[in-house]
Amino acid sequence: MNYVPMKMRIVAITPETSDVKTFRLHFCDEAEGERFTFRAGQFGLYSVFGAGEATFCIASAPTRKGYIECSVKRAGKVTADLHESNEGDIIGFRGPYGNWFPIDAMRGKNLLFIGGGIGLAPLRSLIWNCLDLRDQFANITILYGARSVGDLVYKNELREWRERPDVQTVYTVDPGGEAPGWDGKVGFVPTVLSEMKPAAEGTMVITCGPPIMIKFVLASLTQLGFPMDSVITTLENRMKCGIGKCGRCNVGSKYVCKDGPVFRCSELSQLPQEF
């Protein structure tokens, strides 16, 4: 495991919402960049010199070489300082850490991605990974929702996915979150999922979002007949140090950063309901 931070240059910053930005990072050492590999679902620790470091997933796809991206919600000192950074600035990165989405088990299956808010970030890495290998998967459906139209992230990519003939998309905002011109659905993600009635047979579900969304998504999937070993989620939002030392992310006997962050929901059903 690599504990030494690598220097990364910010080459692009994309404002996603009022408090979320996506940073594209290039390795300052080109040789390090050429050696670097990761799998969709893994995470890293990003450091702002003099401020500290914070844990986020790698939001770009491993099939897109030469850079990594992370999407950061302003929520504390490190993230605030990162939001104040500019293109050309240097930050630190350690990783990749953690396990990854079992993409080999997904080949040939229908894939249903269910995301909420900034929880789309880890799914984005896997979505692009699968779309770059599109002929290896059956139907791909993306259900994504946020509190309001303004809280939807990756708006350009949402549009790009919707325009693809080989992807089905359903976008929704919470009641009251619609805006003039909104042509998606209005309703909570679990409710919209129940209305969609996806077939359980031959389908794997990958979901990430606020804990309350995941709780009711799992209830809806159970009612629709999905076995929990075909449902996968990531608990990355619980992580702090990222290397199993601080004890902030444990759920029962499991450390999210060391044993995860990716789990089958059949595994989570054996743990205390703390996630």
Side-chain angles (χ1 to χ4, degrees), residues 6 8 23 25 27 32-46 56-70 93-101 103 121-130 132-133 236 262:
M6 295 171 278
M8 310 290 288
F23 298 85
L25 309 174
F27 291 83
E32 280 185 332
E34 292 174 359
R35 290 193 299 269
F36 183 79
T37 61
F38 72 99
R39 305 285 293 273
Q42 289 191 289
F43 64 92
L45 280 89
Y46 302 78
F56 310 108
C57 71
I58 301 173
S60 52
T63 41
R64 310 284 175 99
K65 304 294 185 183
Y67 66 89
I68 61 172
E69 290 180 329
C70 63
F93 170 79
R94 292 194 287 130
Y97 300 135
N99 66 354
W100 50 83
F101 293 112
I103 193 169
L123 302 187
R124 175 189 187 236
S125 175
L126 183 61
I127 289 170
W128 280 121
N129 193 161
C130 294
D132 288 342
L133 306 171
E236 61 163 38
V262 175

Side-chain angles (χ1 to χ4, degrees), residues 189-195 198 213-226 228:
V189 168
T191 304
V192 174
L193 172 64
S194 296
E195 294 170 353
M213 186 207 83
I214 292 179
K215 175 182 178 179
F216 286 102
V217 161
L218 296 183
S220 295
L221 290 170
T222 299
Q223 289 182 340
L224 291 165
F226 281 83
M228 286 297 101

Side-chain angles (χ1 to χ4, degrees), residues 160-203:
E160 183 176 345
W161 295 337
R162 184 172 61 183
E163 292 173 350
R164 287 182 64 128
D166 57 352
V167 178
Q168 295 178 298
T169 58
V170 179
Y171 303 143
T172 185
V173 296
D174 292 354
E178 60 270 38
W182 172 245
D183 58 357
K185 289 185 173 294
V186 176
F188 298 109
V189 168
T191 304
V192 174
L193 172 64
S194 296
E195 294 170 353
M196 290 168 58
K197 295 183 172 58
E201 186 174 356
T203 300

Side-chain angles (χ1 to χ4, degrees), residues 129-182:
N129 193 161
C130 294
L131 292 179
D132 288 342
L133 306 171
R134 184 63 186 87
D135 60 345
Q136 299 183 18
F137 307 93
N139 297 329
I140 292 180
T141 302
I142 301 168
L143 167 59
Y144 173 58
R147 289 181 301 177
S148 69
V149 174
D151 291 312
L152 296 166
V153 295
Y154 310 130
K155 291 182 178 65
N156 290 336
E157 288 160 83
L158 296 180
R159 188 178 307 110
E160 183 176 345
W161 295 337
R162 184 172 61 183
E163 292 173 350
R164 287 182 64 128
D166 57 352
V167 178
Q168 295 178 298
T169 58
V170 179
Y171 303 143
T172 185
V173 296
D174 292 354
E178 60 270 38
W182 172 245

